[in-house]
Amino acid sequence: MAHDEPAKKTPARLLIRNIGLLLSGNLEQPILDADTVVAVDGKIAAVGKAKDVDAEGATLIIDARGTTLAPGLIDSHVHPVAGDWTPRQNQIGWIDSYLHGGVTTMISAGEVHTPGRPKDVVGLKAMAIFAQRAFSAFRPGGVRIHAGAPVIEHGMVEEDFKDLAAAGVTMLGEVGLGSVKDGATARQMVAWARKFGIQSTIHTGGPSIPGSSLIDKDIVLAADADVIGHINGGHTALPDNQIVTLCEESSRALEVVHNGNERAALLTLRTATELKQLGRVIVGTDSPAGSGVQPLGILRMISMLSSLGGISAEVAFCFATGNTAKIRQLGCGEIAPDRDATFMMIDKAQHSAGKTVLESIQRGDLPGIGMVIVDGVVSAQRSRNTPPATTSPEIVPGR
Ligand SMILES: [Zn+2]
């Protein structure tokens, strides 16, 4: 027996059929004319009409029952600390709660709430590498957390960024939350990070909590980080003319967050629309934070931007899926062949005045989530946190 080949594993084939509406997450074509998706071993294999798709050999069949399939949501701005606990509001299970708000991927903007966070160079590097390792091995409810985002401090040299990249660190925490608050130093360190493939985000606006500080448009433009983090403040926003200048003079991503200034978020959206640069708009919660943790925060942003910002709901979904995936270079966020089979299935909430799920969102309501699928596996059925969906998908039994 010692020479036997290891038994070939039967590929896991997921079939989702009877999809009523398919939101792609891709701004170029946010609605696809398709009712069937097949995924093999966690990756999308086919998207199309039932008659055109090879649906044979499914190991898991989901009947969407005419509901809407969308990519799982990406929260572009979270502050995780240790596992599924946040000391900021001393809450356990917050990540699992977000899964029930459709969030399947989170991006750390720095593990800054860690009690006793080290600020010396060796210590901050060690903490980032630890967080990267810990969160890649721990996925509450299946949620993938990209963490290990060091906050830059004075004294770091080019070699430190090389070491971090070699150790698996792929992004910086918010520039400006550490001792580096001047444009010249931030620009140098952001450039070193970029040289070694590490992406960067900068804090924008007034201080978030005691100990953080103002980062204005001049520092943001000088630093030239890849993502203008919470351009609508976290919570305190810059004056309107500075926000407009950032939209116009930088080509970097415009991140709007739930725990920010809603009016400033709408100004950003309006400016990006005028510039015809909606591809730059991405969404986060900036949570856990002083204003709490919001399991439905990303859904609330989609609804807010759509209903008050005059953006169609299918486009607003792209801000929290395909746009973020493109800017953050992720395999999820879009329903297309070879992308991750990571989805949420939604329907209009029971008794919403909107006639369709999209219309209900454009009227400011939240959709109900009937199922969340991560890497081809059902992670949650009817959400415990959203208003109940009018219709929920079903797992077809007997397989
Ligand atoms: Zn911030």
Side-chain angles (χ1 to χ4, degrees):
M1 296 296 282
H3 297 287
D4 278 2
E5 298 270 313
K8 274 234 171 66
K9 202 173 124 265
T10 320
R13 277 180 77 87
L14 165 70
L15 166 66
I16 307 175
R17 64 189 189 199
N18 296 330
I19 298 164
L21 175 69
L22 200 154
L23 303 178
S24 70
N26 182 345
L27 207 52
E28 311 276 301
Q29 195 185 352
I31 295 178
L32 297 183
D33 184 21
D35 58 17
T36 305
V37 169
V38 172
V40 178
D41 288 338
K43 296 280 178 200
I44 297 172
V47 182
K49 291 283 194 187
K51 62 174 171 44
D52 304 322
V53 169
D54 174 16
E56 284 306 300
T59 52
L60 173 64
I61 299 177
I62 291 165
D63 183 350
R65 301 179 70 220
T67 61
T68 298
L69 185 76
L73 303 175
I74 306 167
D75 188 333
S76 175
H77 194 129
V78 295
H79 290 296
V81 167
D84 206 355
W85 169 63
T86 170
R88 177 56 59 189
Q89 300 301 343
N90 199 15
Q91 186 172 330
I92 288 173
W94 70 276
I95 295 169
D96 188 70
S97 276
Y98 280 48
L99 174 79
H100 284 258
V103 173
T104 49
T105 305
M106 294 180 165
I107 312 290
S108 173
E111 296 79 37
V112 290
H113 300 159
T114 303
R117 166 164 73 97
K119 294 179 180 166
D120 62 298
V121 176
V122 171
L124 75 88
K125 285 166 67 180
M127 192 180 90
I129 295 163
F130 164 76
Q132 190 277 332
R133 295 292 188 280
F135 280 105
S136 32
F138 180 64
R139 297 180 58 179
V143 177
R144 188 186 296 276
I145 301 128
H146 297 270
V151 172
I152 55 173
E153 301 282 356
H154 278 291
M156 292 182 80
V157 295
E158 182 171 345
E159 196 71 15
D160 292 315
F161 295 88
K162 191 179 178 190
D163 291 349
L164 284 164
V169 168
T170 58
M171 63 212 170
L172 298 183
E174 281 175 80
V175 173
L177 295 189
S179 56
V180 175
K181 299 176 196 298
D182 66 288
T185 312
R187 186 181 188 84
Q188 175 66 80
M189 290 190 183
V190 161
W192 282 333
R194 189 174 286 134
K195 178 176 172 185
F196 298 109
I198 296 176
Q199 201 177 59
S200 52
T201 297
I202 189 162
H203 172 97
T204 310
S208 299
I209 48 173
S212 100
S213 52
L214 169 72
I215 300 291
D216 67 11
K217 71 137 174 52
D218 295 327
I219 304 174
V220 173
L221 288 173
D224 194 31
D226 298 292
V227 175
I228 302 177
H230 55 63
I231 189 169
N232 61 322
H235 188 103
T236 311
L238 293 173
D240 288 3
N241 59 350
Q242 293 203 25
I243 291 174
V244 171
T245 301
L246 286 175
C247 294
E248 287 174 349
E249 291 185 15
S250 165
S251 60
R252 303 298 184 183
L254 307 171
E255 182 190 72
V256 290
V257 301
H258 183 276
N259 287 343
N261 176 322
E262 289 89 344
R263 199 187 135 277
L266 291 167
L267 171 65
T268 304
L269 182 63
R270 210 157 52 238
T271 310
T273 305
E274 283 164 17
L275 293 170
K276 299 192 169 42
Q277 294 180 359
L278 285 180
R280 292 168 66 195
V281 178
I282 61 177
V283 172
T285 52
D286 192 3
S287 67
S291 35
V293 296
Q294 297 85 16
L296 306 184
I298 298 294
L299 282 178
R300 284 169 52 81
M301 285 300 286
I302 289 169
S303 174
M304 192 275 282
L305 295 172
S306 175
S307 60
L308 301 181
I311 292 284
S312 69
E314 64 268 28
V315 166
F317 274 102
C318 299
F319 302 156
T321 55
N323 278 9
T324 322
K326 200 176 223 171
I327 283 158
R328 302 285 193 180
Q329 297 161 10
L330 306 173
C332 58
E334 212 180 299
I335 300 184
D338 300 325
R339 305 296 289 243
D340 297 347
T342 296
F343 312 109
M344 65 171 183
M345 300 179 77
I346 57 176
D347 196 16
K348 74 168 187 158
Q350 290 175 13
H351 303 292
S352 166
K355 282 195 198 66
T356 64
V357 66
L358 295 179
E359 196 190 312
S360 72
I361 293 163
Q362 284 154 200
R363 294 173 74 112
D365 285 341
L366 300 182
I369 293 177
M371 191 176 283
V372 183
I373 295 168
V374 177
D375 297 337
V377 176
V378 176
S379 256
Q381 297 197 51
R382 188 187 278 282
S383 166
R384 64 170 187 258
N385 289 333
T386 63
T390 305
T391 304
S392 284
E394 281 173 358
I395 297 173
V396 177
R399 288 269 153 182

